[in-house]
């Protein structure tokens, strides 16, 4: 369910960007940036220049969704709630999820160690998870999922082999690196 929603004005200027993040089980937050136009309406602006005007992060109530449509409707509600005072005509905005896959990397910082690569596209409804063990390649693990499952829930399904025990990766043992687009 990790995703990025971009909101564009009627003139195709980027108005806001919402990044929904699920870093811990049953916990959700959104980091959003509201943008301002570089030029006024009366000035010509062919390159659609904007600059960040407001940047903040807030926690949301965790919800498990049954469909992508439910998520999209929820995201629009959150955007209207957070930006409602600045949205002059909520129907005049375009809500877009980029189809370009995003690569997220998590470093596993427990005593076993390793790296988790997650390549996902919310718009395409795909998620590929690859665990690279720091101990031995035989402990590497792959998972395929869809956009309804959080990255953390995929990661907790990865088995960690320690002696004769099988453990799971805790969200507290992860360090998330910056996304790569």
């Amino acid at each position: 369910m990790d995703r990025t929603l971009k909101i564009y004005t009627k003139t195709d200027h980027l108005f806001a960007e919402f990044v929904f993040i699920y870093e811990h089980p049953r916990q959700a937050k959104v980091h959003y940036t509201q943008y301002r136009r570089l030029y006024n309406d009366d000035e010509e602006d062919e390159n659609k220049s904007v600059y960040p005007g407001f940047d903040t992060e807030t926690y949301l109530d965790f919800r498990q969704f049954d469909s992508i449509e439910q998520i999209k409707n929820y995201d629009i509600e959150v955007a209207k709630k957070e930006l409602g005072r600045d949205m002059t005509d909520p129907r005049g905005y375009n809500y877009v999820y980029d189809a370009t896959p995003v690569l997220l990397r998590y470093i596993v910082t427990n005593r076993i160690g390793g790296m988790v690569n997650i390549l996902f596209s919310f718009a395409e409804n795909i998620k590929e998870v690859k665990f690279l063990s720091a101990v031995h390649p035989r402990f590497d693990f792959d998972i395929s999922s869809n956009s309804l499952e959080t990255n953390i829930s995929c990661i907790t399904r990865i088995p960690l082999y320690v002696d004769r025990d099988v453990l799971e990766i805790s969200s507290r043992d992860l360090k998330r690196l910056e996304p790569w687009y």
Side-chain angles (χ1 to χ4, degrees), residues 73-95:
N73 292 334
Y74 175 77
D75 291 355
I76 292 171
E77 287 176 28
V78 169
K80 287 179 181 177
K81 178 183 168 212
E82 296 295 329
L83 302 173
R85 64 193 174 282
D86 295 325
M87 296 179 93
T88 54
D89 178 19
R91 292 182 308 258
Y93 293 88
N94 296 325
Y95 301 91

Side-chain angles (χ1 to χ4, degrees), residues 15-68:
F15 178 69
E17 181 178 62
F18 282 74
V19 180
F20 293 85
I21 304 166
Y22 299 82
E23 290 183 332
H24 300 288
R26 308 204 47 79
Q27 183 183 52
K29 68 180 176 180
V30 63
H31 178 112
Y32 68 91
T33 306
Q34 186 176 356
Y35 294 93
R36 303 281 183 223
R37 290 178 57 173
L38 191 58
Y39 300 102
N40 296 330
D41 286 337
D42 56 343
E43 296 178 283
E44 215 170 293
D45 185 14
E46 293 177 6
N47 63 359
K48 309 298 181 196
S49 300
V50 294
Y51 63 93
F54 181 72
D55 189 61
T56 192
E57 195 168 88
T58 185
Y59 285 90
L60 303 170
D61 291 331
F62 180 83
R63 290 178 54 184
Q64 187 64 44
F65 299 99
D66 297 324
S67 70
I68 298 296

Side-chain angles (χ1 to χ4, degrees), residues 104-106 108 114-118 129-131 155 158 169:
L104 282 182
R105 276 207 168 135
Y106 295 85
V108 181
M115 183 182 332
V116 180
N117 290 331
I118 300 178
V129 180
K130 293 184 186 288
F131 172 68
I155 291 172
I158 296 171
I169 299 172

Side-chain angles (χ1 to χ4, degrees), residues 106-116 131-132 134 155 160 169-177:
Y106 295 85
I107 304 296
V108 181
T109 60
N110 62 13
R111 61 188 174 121
I112 302 302
M115 183 182 332
V116 180
F131 172 68
L132 304 171
I155 291 172
L160 283 181
I169 299 172
S170 168
S171 62
R172 307 266 184 251
D173 294 334
L174 296 172
K175 180 183 179 215
R176 181 178 174 197
L177 303 178

